[in-house]
Amino acid sequence: MMEFVRGENRFFKEDENGKLIAEVTWVPSGDSLVILDHTFVDESLRGQGIASQLVEKVADTMRAEGKKITATCPFAKAEFERKPEKYDDIKA
């Protein structure tokens, strides 16, 4: 599992030169909902499941905070549909 840094409404990873190589962002909507709106993984990391890890990280965090997620990012939306056993409890 890759280690991500938590920023304001995002988790991300930079390479040793400070270049953004992975990121997921969300927008708070009221007190109990977030909109997962963007997932990015650098081409050099594609195919390693990094985007799935990012979505999972947001889901775990929002579960801990008692929030639900609406996914507008196409990747995250597909991830929620592909893995209902993992995400149905967190979907808004």
Side-chain angles (χ1 to χ4, degrees), residues 12-81:
F12 66 97
K13 176 84 173 171
E14 294 174 340
D15 68 11
E16 61 279 356
N17 301 316
K19 177 186 170 209
L20 185 67
I21 54 171
E23 178 182 51
V24 63
T25 62
W26 63 89
V27 179
S29 179
D31 293 335
S32 59
L33 181 71
V34 299
I35 298 159
L36 199 166
D37 63 345
H38 171 72
T39 309
F40 162 76
V41 176
D42 190 76
E43 281 181 28
S44 65
L45 296 173
R46 299 239 168 107
Q48 297 178 41
I50 307 294
S52 293
Q53 289 178 33
L54 285 164
V55 171
E56 189 173 347
K57 184 85 174 153
V58 175
D60 290 346
T61 301
M62 294 311 145
R63 263 189 208 102
E65 294 179 10
K67 296 179 181 172
K68 297 280 187 186
I69 299 172
T70 296
T72 58
C73 159
F75 177 83
K77 243 179 159 158
E79 214 35 21
F80 277 25
E81 287 164 18

